[in-house]
Amino acid sequence: MSLDIVLASGSESRRRLLESAGVEAAAVRPNVDEDAMKAGLRAEGVSVRDQAMRLAELKSAKVSQRQPGLVIGGDQMLALGDEAFDKPKDLDGARDHLRKLSGKAHTLETAIVVCENGQPVWRHLARPRLTMRSLSEEFIEDYVDKVGEPLLSTVGAYQLEGLGAQLFNKIEGDYFSILGLPLLPLLDYLRIRGVLKT
């Protein structure tokens, strides 16, 4: 009997990554209050990587309680030292993100949890490290003007698959994890579970 695959996310980029890799997954929004959860975790002093993992598990478990099959929950947070970055609220916020990240290395804490029958059965944390070159104010203004609103859908206010490639002088980690889904380890797990052919 084949297991259904469910993506506990409204993220179009995660769904497209799975689809491009030949994985058919129904997308179901988990409807969790991420802002309240993050605020609580940060008040407790939880590390950025653990915040990402706890949010990924919460999303997956919530959808898995009502959907059969393997439910994939993911979350990505940007850590600049101990400071967590959320998606910018507006283009001024995107400019602020880029100014703070300019000339520095940061980590994308990219967590994924698979739940079945409401319980976690597999988890993975990828930690790509990206070093942003020093950006001039003129470059930041031009970049934000050219890319616009799509910058608000990423924690770092960049899109590596487009003009965002110009922001960096060093990237350590895999491309899929930077886009928000550690795809290769997930595909390995789906093969172990018999969902994909070996």
Side-chain angles (χ1 to χ4, degrees):
M1 185 178 96
S2 179
L3 285 163
D4 289 334
I5 305 295
V6 179
L7 181 62
S9 174
S11 166
E12 187 58 28
S13 65
R14 285 191 184 107
R15 190 196 63 73
R16 274 198 313 269
L17 285 173
L18 284 172
E19 184 179 56
S20 296
V23 178
E24 289 185 34
V28 177
R29 288 182 183 273
N31 296 323
V32 298
D33 188 341
E34 290 190 49
D35 290 339
M37 177 83 170
K38 283 189 268 196
L41 293 171
R42 288 171 189 172
E44 292 173 29
V46 174
S47 70
V48 180
R49 73 161 78 171
D50 289 341
Q51 289 176 45
M53 188 60 78
R54 299 256 291 266
L55 276 162
E57 183 173 326
L58 175 67
K59 294 173 195 176
S60 179
K62 187 161 184 187
V63 172
S64 180
Q65 287 164 2
R66 59 183 195 267
Q67 295 276 140
L70 298 176
V71 179
I72 303 163
D75 196 79
Q76 184 179 64
M77 290 191 186
L78 188 158
L80 180 63
D82 293 331
E83 183 182 358
F85 281 55
D86 295 318
K87 292 174 184 173
K89 303 286 187 211
D90 53 32
L91 293 179
D92 282 339
R95 290 180 185 94
D96 288 342
H97 273 35
L98 294 169
R99 286 183 195 111
K100 285 182 183 174
L101 297 172
S102 175
K104 299 180 183 129
H106 63 268
T107 303
L108 289 175
E109 305 288 4
T110 310
I112 188 168
V113 176
V114 176
C115 285
E116 191 174 13
N117 301 316
Q119 296 299 314
V121 293
W122 182 81
R123 65 182 74 233
H124 181 82
L125 179 72
R127 309 186 71 222
R129 185 171 170 84
L130 293 83
T131 304
M132 195 172 281
R133 64 183 183 82
S134 293
L135 308 175
S136 68
E137 192 62 31
E138 183 182 10
F139 177 87
I140 291 172
E141 287 299 328
D142 186 58
Y143 176 73
V144 172
D145 287 346
K146 281 180 178 165
V147 181
E149 296 292 320
L151 293 177
L152 307 184
S153 66
T154 68
V155 290
Y158 50 79
Q159 291 194 310
L160 194 63
E161 62 273 36
L163 282 179
Q166 291 193 33
L167 298 170
F168 300 98
N169 53 26
K170 187 175 182 185
I171 292 176
E172 302 161 87
D174 79 279
Y175 181 70
F176 301 115
S177 295
I178 292 166
L179 296 187
L181 186 72
L183 186 61
L184 302 181
L186 175 61
L187 294 175
D188 277 345
Y189 178 71
L190 296 178
R191 280 189 283 271
I192 289 166
R193 292 301 305 268
V195 175
L196 300 177
K197 292 183 177 72
T198 56

